[in-house]
Amino acid sequence: MTSAEEKTAIEIDTPDDSFVQMIKKTGGPNIQNCYQCGTCSGSCPAGALTNFLVRGIIRKALLGLKEQCISSPELWYCTTCYTCTDRCPQDVKPTDVIKAIRNVAVAEGYMLAPHQKTALKVLETGHAVPLDKESWENLREKVGIERIPPNASKYSEAIEEIKKLAKKTGFDKLIAVKEEK
Amino acid sequence: MAKKSFYHFLGCIIPHRYPSVEKAVKLVFNDLDMGLLDMDGATCCPAPGVFGSFDRITWATIAARNLTIAEAGGHPITTGCNGCFASLWDANYELKHDEELREIVNENLAEIDREFKGTIEVWHYVDALVEVAGLDKIRKKVTRPFKDVRMVLHPGCHWMRPKLLKQKDDSERPHIFRELCETSGAEYVPYKDELMCCGAGGAVRTADIKVALEFTMQKFESVKEAGGADMMITPCPFCELQLDLGQVEIQKHFEKEYVLDILHVVELLALAFGHEPDEFGLATHLQYQLRKSTPLWEKLGIKVEES
Ligand code: SF4
Ligand code: SF4
């Protein structure tokens, strides 16, 4: 999805604003204030380095083009640096909009395998970056602190609690079922 | 005045990959007479990029569980990671201001007999150092000033952005982090992309490491254009990992060599306060381990005995 490709006309038969409503719920109320000035994209380091165009995604969302928004791989190039959010003259909070669109994407099965793995690690160990090798424990000893820190690496009850919470919110299913996509 | 104590939220990267930061902060807080309490059973914050992007409710629920540990003990939290700060501070804020979210989250927490009450605050190490200890007291502790050492900064994103919410510093012209780093006596060297993200956040490093490294390279090039530097200071271990280990990864993926010492701000202060690099294991950074190298002691102006 480059800016040039975007110049082709977009045809919409049935305007559907349910997508925008979903985004507003998780990402904040102001997306419809966007007047496409491009301050966000102009500030965006991801936009400068890749095809990711935050203004374009917001436009598509406003047009109800859900599938195009959630299936685009570029959606995952935003580092959530919040520069656009600090600069947007209309208080759209583009970063939160992007995160909201990602929430929808994930709910519909668009999840990258490495992200799924990271999420699974949290459910299994309590940590996204776990203490999973003896060498990491050695490293701790070398700097002069206890081999195992007082977090979930030490307290397995904590992991049990996280598993219960993930079950309650349905997160365990969210990251388990869609292994193929 | 009673000694101010904080629950020490470790997160994942500090205790599991850059433990030198964990040790350094203990030295520095102790020197400044501030307490750090273990936060038993804390988990991942959880990672704001991945969890926040996957499911806001789960993100807020797991963050809230961490907050309840501190609430039970009645002390504020401090963390030295911009990512953990983003999760814990933002969740704390949102849960205090969004009734609907709080209700859902507390319903989830009831499952494990916990409840978010909204009684504590979340501080970054930077806040604790600047607001509780104060720059004057910090300056007085400096016994080994970094004289004639060129220092570039990487403040990162989530400590100060979104600025309207965080209300800490002007994110276009921040000065607080710089002033803290300048207490070390090093010479602040500005560069064009100082305020640019390191590239790791938002789940990008996990999604596509090459894209993440392109951010990092742009920053290093920008430092070069500014005449180069002897060290780069950051308040975040995830940025530190990206900038430190990232140098080895850049070499592998792009065949470009950058050699720059990356220090967490508490590592900088530990050295400035006169602690030896071995006291907290500065040389254990992943860059040095993988390259079988050491910090560029001479550039840092530190004398070490060759072992
Ligand atoms: S900066 Fe704000 S108003 Fe301008 S295009 Fe981006 S989101 Fe829309
Ligand atoms: S938050 Fe995302 S969209 Fe906004 S400027 Fe940063 S990388 Fe770009």
Side-chain angles (χ1 to χ4, degrees):
Chain A
M1 211 192 333
T2 64
S3 322
E5 277 167 40
E6 282 191 345
K7 282 177 189 145
T8 44
I10 293 171
E11 283 175 33
I12 299 167
D13 300 332
T14 38
D16 169 14
D17 87 333
S18 62
F19 185 42
V20 166
Q21 297 311 326
M22 267 191 256
I23 293 170
K24 283 168 102 169
K25 203 165 174 331
T26 335
N30 298 343
I31 181 173
Q32 280 157 315
N33 294 356
C34 171
Y35 51 34
Q36 290 289 296
C37 67
T39 302
C40 50
S41 310
S43 310
C44 177
L49 293 166
T50 71
N51 283 338
F52 171 70
L53 188 68
V54 52
R55 178 186 57 75
I57 292 183
I58 289 173
R59 184 73 187 133
K60 283 181 179 163
L62 288 168
L63 289 169
L65 300 170
K66 179 170 124 186
E67 199 53 36
Q68 283 196 35
C69 286
I70 64 175
S71 65
S72 135
E74 288 87 356
L75 183 63
W76 297 93
Y77 287 158
C78 163
T79 62
T80 67
C81 74
Y82 284 95
T83 310
C84 54
T85 296
D86 278 3
R87 291 184 184 166
C88 169
Q90 289 292 88
D91 200 23
V92 167
K93 301 189 170 63
T95 319
D96 293 341
V97 168
I98 294 292
K99 281 169 87 173
I101 296 176
R102 287 177 174 183
N103 275 219
V104 178
V106 166
E108 307 244 337
Y110 289 100
M111 182 184 309
L112 300 178
H115 288 154
Q116 187 188 23
K117 260 194 209 148
T118 305
L120 278 171
K121 271 186 208 158
V122 175
L123 299 198
E124 282 159 12
T125 69
H127 292 281
V129 181
L131 192 71
D132 52 1
K133 278 192 224 153
E134 213 189 313
S135 57
W136 302 127
E137 290 179 29
N138 295 342
L139 202 61
R140 291 183 55 84
E141 190 170 328
K142 206 166 165 189
V143 309
I145 44 183
E146 70 276 43
R147 288 179 68 85
I148 307 209
N151 54 18
S153 303
K154 180 168 167 190
Y155 296 99
S156 58
E157 313 89 270
I159 305 171
E160 291 313 311
E161 289 195 17
I162 294 297
K163 282 188 180 145
K164 278 189 194 157
L165 291 176
K167 195 163 178 218
K168 178 76 170 57
T169 65
F171 192 75
D172 56 345
K173 290 211 184 71
L174 193 68
I175 58 171
V177 186
K178 289 126 187 161
E179 238 157 272
E180 293 308 309
K181 212 132 199 189
Chain B
M1 207 182 74
K3 173 165 158 176
K4 176 110 177 165
S5 289
F6 295 88
Y7 272 113
H8 190 194
F9 185 82
L10 298 171
C12 302
I13 298 181
I14 290 179
H16 300 162
R17 296 295 181 273
Y18 283 80
S20 50
V21 177
E22 187 177 332
K23 183 66 189 291
V25 75
K26 285 184 170 157
L27 297 172
V28 167
F29 271 50
N30 188 46
D31 288 347
L32 294 168
D33 204 27
M34 296 193 292
L36 286 173
L37 308 165
D38 281 353
M39 205 168 151
D40 290 335
T43 62
C44 180
C45 55
V50 175
F51 278 72
S53 295
F54 273 22
D55 181 43
R56 177 168 174 255
I57 301 294
T58 305
W59 165 78
T61 302
I62 296 181
R65 178 191 168 277
N66 283 321
L67 294 167
T68 62
I69 297 176
E71 286 182 351
H75 294 280
I77 287 174
T78 190
T79 167
C81 172
N82 282 0
C84 299
F85 185 69
S87 267
L88 298 179
W89 192 96
D90 292 13
N92 198 31
Y93 181 91
E94 288 179 33
L95 288 163
K96 283 182 185 180
H97 292 86
D98 183 338
E99 277 294 326
E100 200 187 327
L101 179 70
R102 183 168 169 162
E103 238 170 72
I104 301 171
V105 163
N106 270 335
E107 223 173 85
N108 293 337
L109 288 177
E111 202 75 7
I112 54 169
D113 298 320
R114 290 180 185 270
E115 186 192 353
F116 173 84
K117 298 198 176 78
T119 52
I120 55 131
E121 298 296 330
V122 178
W123 301 54
H124 195 288
Y125 292 168
V126 171
D127 305 319
L129 290 165
V130 173
E131 287 175 37
V132 178
L135 296 178
D136 285 338
K137 187 167 177 186
I138 294 173
R139 266 185 221 110
K140 279 187 200 128
K141 293 280 172 198
V142 174
T143 55
R144 174 165 42 199
F146 281 81
K147 208 173 158 297
D148 299 323
V149 177
R150 288 169 62 85
M151 162 179 80
V152 284
L153 305 182
H154 172 71
C157 304
H158 296 115
W159 171 72
M160 60 183 178
R161 296 194 201 110
K163 70 173 173 198
L164 289 179
L165 210 62
K166 296 264 167 49
Q167 304 213 345
K168 283 181 185 291
D169 208 344
D170 177 353
S171 63
E172 303 287 350
R173 279 185 200 78
H175 62 96
I176 296 173
F177 180 62
R178 189 190 76 215
E179 285 166 6
L180 176 61
C181 294
E182 280 178 333
T183 59
S184 71
E187 178 202 349
Y188 164 69
V189 178
Y191 64 105
K192 183 167 122 301
D193 288 321
E194 176 178 320
L195 301 183
M196 179 184 167
C197 168
C198 68
V204 173
R205 186 181 156 87
T206 318
D208 190 333
I209 189 157
K210 279 189 163 175
V211 169
L213 292 171
E214 280 185 51
F215 282 68
T216 318
M217 280 198 288
Q218 185 177 327
K219 290 200 68 108
F220 288 154
E221 283 302 315
S222 175
V223 170
K224 267 193 186 167
E225 279 160 28
D230 301 320
M231 59 181 179
M232 183 182 264
I233 315 297
T234 174
C236 173
F238 197 30
C239 300
E240 184 169 20
L241 179 139
Q242 176 72 9
L243 296 160
D244 178 73
L245 176 62
Q247 292 176 43
V248 182
E249 294 165 340
I250 287 170
Q251 212 160 349
K252 181 173 142 212
H253 291 286
F254 299 94
E255 289 173 20
K256 275 194 153 184
E257 189 175 11
Y258 299 97
V259 182
L260 181 62
D261 291 314
I262 313 290
L263 274 67
H264 191 287
V265 61
V266 293
E267 297 180 312
L268 174 79
L269 291 179
L271 291 172
F273 289 2
H275 295 285
E276 294 308 322
D278 263 358
E279 258 181 273
F280 60 93
L282 178 67
T284 61
H285 287 184
L286 300 180
Q287 166 192 183
Y288 311 131
Q289 295 199 45
L290 291 165
R291 285 175 161 165
K292 308 221 180 314
S293 63
T294 60
L296 302 172
W297 302 117
E298 213 167 298
K299 278 189 151 193
L300 298 176
I302 292 173
K303 286 195 188 69
V304 285
E305 315 236 326
E306 288 299 327
S307 55

